[in-house]
Amino acid sequence: MTSVLAPLPVLLPLLGAAAALLTSGHPRSQRILSIAVLTAVLAVSVTLLLIADADGATSVAVGGWPVPLGIVLVVDRLSALMLVVASTVALGVLVFAVGQGAADGQEDTPLSIFHPTFLVLVAGVSNAFLAGDLFNLYVGFEILLMASYVLLTLGGTAPRIRGGITYVIVSLTSSLVFLAAIGLVYAATGTVNMADLAVRLGELPEGTQVLLQSMLLIAFGIKAAVFPLSAWLPDSYPTAPAPVTAVFAGLLTKVGVYAIIRTQTLLFPDGALDDLLMWAALATMLVGILGAVAQTDLRRLLSFTLVSHIGYMVFGIALGTTAGLAGAVFYVAHHIAIQTTLFLVAGLVERQGGTTSVDKLGGLARRSPLLAVLFFVPAMNLAGIPPLSGFIGKLGLLHAGVAEGSSMAMALVVGGVVTSLLTLLAIARVWTRAFWRPPTQAPADDTAAAAAADAGSGGGSTPDGGPSGNGGPSPDGDGTGSPFQAAWRRHTRVATAAEPDLPPAAASTRALRPLPATMVAATAGLAAVTVALTGLAGPLYGIADRAAEDLLDRTPYISTVLGPEETP
Amino acid sequence: MTPTVVLPVIIGGLYAAGVYLLLDRSLTRVLLGFLLMGNATNLLVLSAGGPAGLAPILGYSEPEEMSDPLPQALILTAIVITFGVSAFVLAMIHRSWRLVHQEVVGTDEEDRRVAARSATDADELDPDELDPADRAAGHADSLHTPEADDLGADDVDLPAVTGAR
């Protein structure tokens, strides 16, 4: 049963991507196809999770090669849980993107590359979660990164190219570090199979182990945006279209966190670098959230909270206890859903208010109460207000930290509480300014400032302005003039509409601009998932707990892959 | 077989040159640096396979004389990935050139503004009172501010920035 199901989360999106590319001339069938594929992936993932939770881990030797040599896919509780959460948010984001495309009149001229690339991204994420050997993990990373390069630079506008260059080069560097680490691991042990490595790495001299461990940690740390390797993230994520930013924020960094969990527990159980990880976790939490407090752009603020909350997961990993790991696993699941939802809400805010700059927004709660609720509930969840799932995850981690009892763990507990409070502060500032204050209190902006802010916050929520205005550079160098003129006109229009001196009738025309139902429904669906995580916290935490026990025990994973006789 | 010193020296040299080029502002050189580092990594994986031997084909050579085929398979995959990524980066460099007549890493205006601030006290830096340009969170505007355009390229052989505003 599992041997048939396990490759499907990778295979289905890849085949779906090919089919979506073929049907790019028929936008409707393309949309139906990609939604159907992701629904199927979600169903398969849920089945895998139920099987894995009931019967324990299973492994599939793809291609039928004997185990330490061939490619192995391993489904255990951790990877199955990650698959379920990942495919849920991917489906939600895809529906949001379909709604956005329909609302922006792209029915006839869709960006035909979006759906195939999105499916490839999902395939890469699934492959990374299922990979049973280091090199397959690398391939999974490369698949998802390659798709993410394309998605981040969709439309090829100047801000996206600028952000994309940072992102691509940083990702390439981390991939090279990872590949070099794989080469060194192979040189030292003669295998890249993770279960095999778990047996053999322990026989190496301690210095070699620490070298390999730190190289892998650097590679994954860049991908997971752990301070001090996190500076690239707030620089590149906010420029992408809203659904792309949402799926990146939810999934890509968590794949890095997953890789850290896997390698730290399975390959290097000694915890030689746990102290270093604790420092990194503390710095990630505090530096990230201080950055968030200083931001006035909603998307950049959310990007900084994303970095900050990675620190909680690293904290749980560094503790190395069952309670700590269970907290980290639960927090990853919670954070994938919550961060994706919040970025989708930011996309809706941009549509409704014309900007994501908190200083220029105002009165959203009155204009769109539904949007206000959609922001408020996940935002409070992010800050960890009881009884929501963010509170449960943080409580579990802090409890694990207190139980561990070392002074460093206590410092991290304090840091975690401070970070939680500062998150609340940052979120409350957004709430009071963008949603709560009357629109008349929003400052009157000159058009230039509005233009700068709008261009900075991603140049609109659609991949527009891209190919239209770049008919080759003309000799006097104004070949790029027309898109900026078009953008200028758009900003002027927005800024004029935001002018508080206008008569109420003019101001209310913007308030009446309806949000597309599909986009709202997708966001509401994901918000409901985050609330459901609270209701299902009991069973979910149970799975996380059992996953953590498996991780620390290591025997289930190794004996599943290599057979019972090889277990140390 | 004796270990060779040539391979480690070449790997080290490629890494050094690659890192040097990667730190350049010109994107073409960044790409070249990435390619050099990619090749260095491929050689590293190759050398992980142990001493050279005969082609690993059954019937052609004895198992003791074969070289390890697995690193070669890994390198082949890595080469394909590097190739695809290089093509994408080249396309992005071209796009950047078409957009702003500039193929260097953009100036981070926010960094410069923060560095130029005289006041560092938090209460003197209330975001509400800052210049609107200071508050703008994205950097896209940085490509087109007058200061950024006057900066020019720091590479002598790159053309000066021409307008694009």
Side-chain angles (χ1 to χ4, degrees):
Chain A
M1 180 68 174
T2 351
S3 59
V4 181
L5 286 181
L8 286 185
V10 186
L11 269 185
L12 281 179
L14 277 184
L15 294 175
L21 206 55
L22 286 178
T23 54
S24 56
H26 309 278
R28 180 176 292 275
S29 46
Q30 193 187 34
R31 286 197 298 268
I32 294 173
L33 179 83
S34 35
I35 289 180
V37 164
L38 282 191
T39 314
V41 172
L42 178 59
V44 169
S45 308
V46 171
T47 320
L48 283 176
L49 178 62
L50 293 178
I51 294 176
D53 194 36
D55 306 342
T58 42
S59 78
V60 183
V62 184
W65 291 83
V67 159
L69 301 176
I71 291 175
V72 189
L73 299 181
V74 183
V75 187
D76 64 353
R77 292 191 176 92
L78 174 63
S79 49
L81 179 64
M82 293 294 108
L83 273 180
V84 170
V85 184
S87 43
T88 309
V89 299
L91 184 61
V93 170
L94 185 69
V95 174
F96 183 95
V98 165
Q100 177 168 323
D104 294 341
Q106 296 175 342
E107 294 275 0
D108 302 322
T109 55
L111 223 61
S112 56
I113 201 69
F114 176 81
H115 288 268
T117 319
F118 193 84
L119 290 177
V120 170
L121 181 85
V122 175
V125 171
S126 305
N127 193 24
F129 286 149
L130 289 172
D133 63 87
L134 276 183
F135 197 78
N136 201 17
L137 184 63
Y138 167 77
V139 173
F141 269 123
E142 286 303 317
I143 295 174
L144 74 90
L145 284 177
M146 204 60 204
S148 71
Y149 302 154
V150 177
L151 289 175
L152 193 72
T153 51
L154 268 184
T157 55
R160 282 184 197 157
I161 292 291
R162 189 205 172 280
I165 282 170
T166 314
Y167 176 74
V168 170
I169 291 170
V170 170
S171 304
L172 288 180
T173 313
S174 93
S175 294
L176 280 181
V177 174
F178 187 16
L179 188 59
I182 291 176
L184 293 178
V185 164
Y186 188 80
T189 62
T191 180
V192 289
N193 183 295
M194 285 204 264
D196 210 6
L197 281 174
V199 181
R200 294 201 202 175
L201 273 173
E203 300 159 5
L204 293 178
E206 204 173 318
T208 318
Q209 282 193 49
V210 172
L211 170 79
L212 297 176
Q213 187 182 7
S214 42
M215 280 191 77
L216 288 175
L217 268 184
I218 289 172
F220 299 145
I222 295 178
K223 291 181 206 296
V226 176
F227 184 83
L229 306 169
S230 60
W232 57 272
L233 192 146
D235 225 27
S236 51
Y237 274 17
T239 56
V244 172
T245 317
V247 77
F248 281 18
L251 291 185
L252 299 200
T253 49
K254 306 311 181 302
V255 180
V257 174
Y258 167 83
I260 293 180
I261 295 181
R262 189 59 91 195
T263 48
Q264 285 298 301
T265 55
L266 185 63
L267 304 187
F268 306 100
D270 299 345
L273 294 178
D274 274 358
D275 283 346
L276 189 73
L277 272 181
M278 290 230 190
W279 282 106
L282 187 63
T284 310
M285 282 197 251
L286 293 180
V287 173
I289 203 62
L290 288 177
V293 170
Q295 294 300 319
T296 54
D297 181 273
L298 182 55
R299 286 197 196 183
R300 272 175 69 83
L301 187 146
L302 289 176
S303 302
F304 273 102
T305 61
L306 168 61
V307 172
S308 160
H309 286 233
I310 296 288
Y312 283 106
M313 302 161 210
V314 178
F315 171 37
I317 300 167
L319 282 177
T321 59
T322 314
L325 276 173
V329 171
F330 181 83
Y331 206 87
V332 172
H334 146 80
H335 200 247
I336 289 178
I338 204 79
Q339 203 74 44
T340 311
T341 314
L342 279 173
F343 271 104
L344 288 185
V345 173
L348 290 179
V349 166
E350 186 176 21
R351 287 187 83 84
Q352 187 75 293
T355 172
T356 50
S357 170
V358 173
D359 285 342
K360 299 185 184 69
L361 292 164
L364 282 176
R366 175 177 297 180
R367 271 191 232 147
S368 176
L370 178 62
L371 183 59
V373 172
L374 282 182
F375 175 79
F376 188 76
V377 175
M380 288 300 118
N381 199 340
L382 181 74
I385 298 295
L388 295 162
S389 58
F391 170 73
I392 299 169
K394 289 190 180 70
L395 188 69
L397 283 171
L398 299 185
H399 194 258
V402 173
E404 209 260 359
S406 66
S407 53
M408 192 60 214
M410 296 316 265
L412 268 159
V413 167
V414 175
V417 173
V418 170
T419 306
S420 183
L421 287 175
L422 287 174
T423 309
L424 187 61
L425 173 69
I427 291 295
R429 278 179 66 229
V430 176
W431 174 256
T432 51
R433 289 186 188 207
F435 288 89
W436 205 240
R437 71 176 165 189
T440 43
Q441 281 181 17
D445 292 303
D446 57 326
T447 50
D454 198 6
S457 62
S461 52
T462 54
D464 55 2
S468 58
N470 295 281
S474 47
D476 56 352
D478 66 356
T480 55
S482 48
F484 289 104
Q485 281 163 9
W488 181 265
R489 280 195 296 276
R490 200 172 71 241
H491 306 319
T492 319
R493 199 171 63 236
V494 168
T496 319
E499 196 72 52
D501 298 338
L502 287 179
S508 64
T509 50
R510 202 157 67 100
L512 290 177
R513 182 177 163 194
L515 286 168
T518 326
M519 292 167 75
V520 176
T523 317
L526 278 181
V529 167
T530 63
V531 176
L533 283 183
T534 312
L536 295 174
L540 198 62
Y541 219 100
I543 296 177
D545 226 10
R546 289 190 289 279
E549 278 167 22
D550 288 356
L551 286 174
L552 282 181
D553 187 14
R554 301 205 300 154
T555 327
Y557 192 99
I558 299 173
S559 59
T560 305
V561 177
L562 295 181
E565 69 279 5
E566 294 276 348
T567 311
Chain B
M1 277 177 252
T2 50
T4 167
V5 76
V6 179
L7 220 45
V9 168
I10 291 180
I11 294 171
L14 283 176
Y15 267 125
V19 169
Y20 176 79
L21 285 175
L22 199 71
L23 296 177
D24 203 288
R25 271 192 81 170
S26 159
L27 289 175
T28 324
R29 292 185 191 188
V30 169
L31 176 66
L32 288 176
F34 164 68
L35 289 175
L36 286 187
M37 286 172 65
N39 283 334
T41 312
N42 288 341
L43 284 180
L44 181 74
V45 177
L46 183 70
S47 68
L54 294 173
I57 301 171
L58 275 181
Y60 173 76
S61 54
E62 292 304 309
E64 309 80 71
E65 298 172 324
M66 288 178 184
S67 58
D68 189 350
L70 191 62
Q72 299 179 9
L74 302 187
I75 293 170
L76 204 58
T77 316
I79 287 175
V80 173
I81 291 173
T82 313
F83 174 76
V85 173
S86 310
F88 184 80
V89 174
L90 268 179
M92 238 171 41
I93 293 173
H94 180 65
R95 183 73 188 160
S96 175
W97 175 259
R98 293 275 294 266
L99 278 173
V100 289
H101 285 243
Q102 200 174 2
E103 55 100 44
V104 297
V105 177
T107 312
D108 194 338
E109 261 331 291
E110 193 181 346
D111 277 0
R112 297 206 169 203
R113 282 198 295 267
V114 169
R117 277 176 193 165
S118 52
T120 50
D121 285 347
D123 21 330
E124 291 175 53
L125 289 176
D126 183 359
D128 287 341
E129 291 163 7
L130 285 178
D131 183 70
D134 252 354
R135 278 185 268 142
H139 308 307
D141 46 332
S142 65
L143 283 173
H144 305 292
T145 52
E147 312 95 71
D149 285 351
D150 291 339
L151 278 178
D154 60 355
D155 284 63
V156 275
D157 43 351
L158 282 174
V161 185
T162 50
R165 45 188 98 165

